[in-house]
Amino acid sequence: MAQLHLRKYREDCLKQLTEVYDQAEAESLYHWLVEEVLGYRALDHQLQADVEIQDQQLKEFQLKLSRLLKQEPIQYILGYTEFYGERFKVNPSVLIPRPETEELVEWIIAELKTHQAIKVLDIGTGSGCIPITLAKHLPQAEVYACDISTKALQLAAENAKTHQQKIHFFEQDILQLEQLPQDFDVIVSNPPYVRELEQSEMQPNVLDHEPELALFVSNRDPLLFYRKITQLAKKQTSCKLFFELNQYLAEDTKQLIEDLGFIEIELKHDFRGNLRFLKALNKS
Ligand code: GLN
C-alpha cells in the first residue's frame, strides 16, 4: 500500500465526516479517532502531520470512520466516555452520560459532603456513573443503585470495579415496587423523561443508537417515574430527593412533588440555561 501521511488522511477523513456532521463536530470526532488509533493528543496532531499511517492503523481508522458515518455515537465506537473527569465504559445497553448529569452529581456532592453516614440510592443507574462518582467523592456514604436492565447492571458493576468503589447493585423494575427494601437518606434519579413528541428534536445518533428504555416516556403520562419514586420516598422516614428533569416539564414536576407532600423544593438550571434539576425534602 502507498504511504499515507496523517496530513493527507486528515483531509480525507474530514471531507467524509463533514458530509454528515458540522465542521466543529467533524474535527472533534477526528481528534477522538486519532487519539484512539495513534495515541496522539489533539494538540500534537499538528506536530505529527508527517507521520506515516501503518496498514493496520488505517484499517482501524476506516472501520471506526464507517461507523461514525452511520451516526453511531463515538462513545459506543470507542467503548468509553468521560464523566466527572473519569473514564467510564459504555455500550448500547446504557445511555451515554451527559454533561448535565455531571452537574447533578456536583450539586449532590456539594449538598452532602458535610453529612455524616448516609445511605444513597440511585434509581435507573445505567452505566453506574452517578453512584460511582458519588461514592468516590462522599466516602461516608453507603451507595446503592438499581436498574431494570441486567445488561446495564453488568456494565455498571464492571465500572464500579474499575473505579474500586463498593456499590450495592440490584435489579428492579421500580414501577413494580410497593416499598423500597430499606430506608435511604437520599434518592437520586435521572429516569427516562423524553416524551415521544420530542423525538423530532433529537439527533439520529441518539434516536437510532441509544436505548429507548432509558430515554422515552409516553406523551400521556410523562412524569410516571417521578411520581412513583416520590411515592416510594414518601414512605421513608426522612428522605431527600435529587432528580434530573425534562426541561419542558420542570414546573409540572415540581407541582407533582409538592402535591405528594415534599417541602423545600428547589429547581436548578443546567449550563445551557434549561431548568434541569430538582431537589426536595420529605420530613415526617
Ligand atoms: N438528556 C437526555 C437526552 O437529551 C435524556 C436523559 C433521560 O431521558 N433521562 O437525550
Side-chain angles (χ1 to χ4, degrees):
M1 211 181 279
Q3 282 190 350
L4 179 61
H5 292 116
L6 191 55
R7 179 181 292 111
K8 171 82 178 81
Y9 188 71
R10 178 173 189 277
E11 265 169 44
D12 294 349
C13 208
L14 285 177
K15 190 161 165 264
Q16 294 186 62
L17 284 170
T18 46
E19 279 167 24
V20 181
Y21 302 94
D22 67 35
Q23 185 71 29
E25 190 157 15
E27 299 230 6
S28 145
L29 291 169
Y30 168 77
H31 284 153
W32 281 76
L33 280 185
V34 172
E35 186 168 341
E36 177 72 10
V37 179
L38 301 180
Y40 301 141
R41 291 159 48 86
L43 277 176
D44 301 334
H45 294 178
Q46 218 46 38
L47 303 174
Q48 308 287 357
D50 292 326
V51 151
E52 198 184 313
I53 300 172
Q54 307 300 318
D55 290 355
Q56 192 50 38
Q57 293 169 330
L58 186 61
K59 266 196 204 131
E60 207 183 324
F61 263 129
Q62 296 297 65
L63 202 71
K64 291 182 165 49
L65 181 63
S66 66
R67 291 172 69 182
L68 281 174
L69 296 174
K70 288 187 208 134
Q71 309 244 26
E72 197 177 329
I74 183 85
Q75 296 88 341
Y76 290 154
I77 299 173
L78 304 183
Y80 67 82
T81 193
E82 300 276 328
F83 184 83
Y84 219 78
E86 303 278 353
R87 196 174 268 208
F88 284 84
K89 231 175 161 174
V90 290
N91 65 33
S93 304
V94 301
L95 196 76
I96 298 163
R98 308 287 202 261
E100 287 87 341
T101 310
E102 294 181 311
E103 291 187 282
L104 174 68
V105 167
E106 190 172 20
W107 193 22
I108 302 172
I109 293 170
E111 291 274 326
L112 302 182
K113 63 172 186 265
T114 53
H115 285 50
Q116 295 306 309
I118 38 167
K119 247 187 209 181
V120 181
L121 169 65
D122 176 41
I123 296 176
T125 200
S127 64
C129 61
I130 295 177
I132 294 167
T133 310
L134 290 178
K136 196 161 194 163
H137 293 268
L138 298 167
Q140 77 280 27
E142 196 178 334
V143 185
Y144 292 71
C146 67
D147 204 286
I148 190 176
S149 155
T150 316
K151 285 187 177 160
L153 285 171
Q154 280 166 355
L155 185 73
E158 215 181 298
N159 277 324
K161 198 168 170 215
T162 309
H163 289 279
Q164 298 180 304
Q165 296 302 324
K166 184 163 170 42
I167 312 291
H168 308 275
F169 290 109
F170 59 100
E171 195 171 317
Q172 181 66 55
D173 174 356
I174 203 71
L175 298 174
Q176 298 305 320
L177 198 62
E178 284 309 314
Q179 184 127 26
L180 287 166
Q182 50 183 301
D183 246 10
F184 294 98
D185 305 295
V186 176
I187 297 177
V188 186
S189 188
N190 172 20
Y193 61 65
V194 181
R195 284 171 296 177
E196 283 150 2
L197 64 88
E198 289 158 30
Q199 286 192 9
S200 56
E201 291 175 19
M202 295 171 83
Q203 298 296 323
N205 57 357
V206 178
L207 269 184
D208 300 343
H209 297 279
E210 295 202 77
E212 287 175 25
L213 190 64
L215 280 169
F216 297 113
V217 285
S218 71
N219 298 336
R220 199 177 26 80
D221 188 14
L223 301 180
L224 81 169
F225 288 102
Y226 300 99
R227 187 186 320 111
K228 182 69 192 188
I229 294 169
T230 308
Q231 285 165 343
L232 289 168
K234 189 69 195 156
K235 296 181 184 168
Q236 308 262 290
T237 344
S238 165
C239 184
K240 232 181 202 182
L241 285 177
F242 287 93
F243 284 136
E244 184 172 318
L245 308 177
N246 181 321
Q247 66 192 86
Y248 306 115
L249 300 171
E251 295 292 350
D252 302 275
T253 315
K254 182 174 182 228
Q255 190 61 53
L256 169 88
I257 291 166
E258 205 172 305
D259 293 346
L260 288 167
F262 276 66
I263 56 169
E264 291 176 31
I265 306 175
E266 201 181 309
L267 289 173
K268 197 172 174 345
H269 289 92
D270 64 18
F271 66 101
R272 300 183 213 271
N274 296 317
L275 276 179
R276 181 66 68 200
F277 314 109
L278 178 147
K279 172 179 91 162
L281 179 69
N282 169 36
K283 261 220 154 78
S284 50

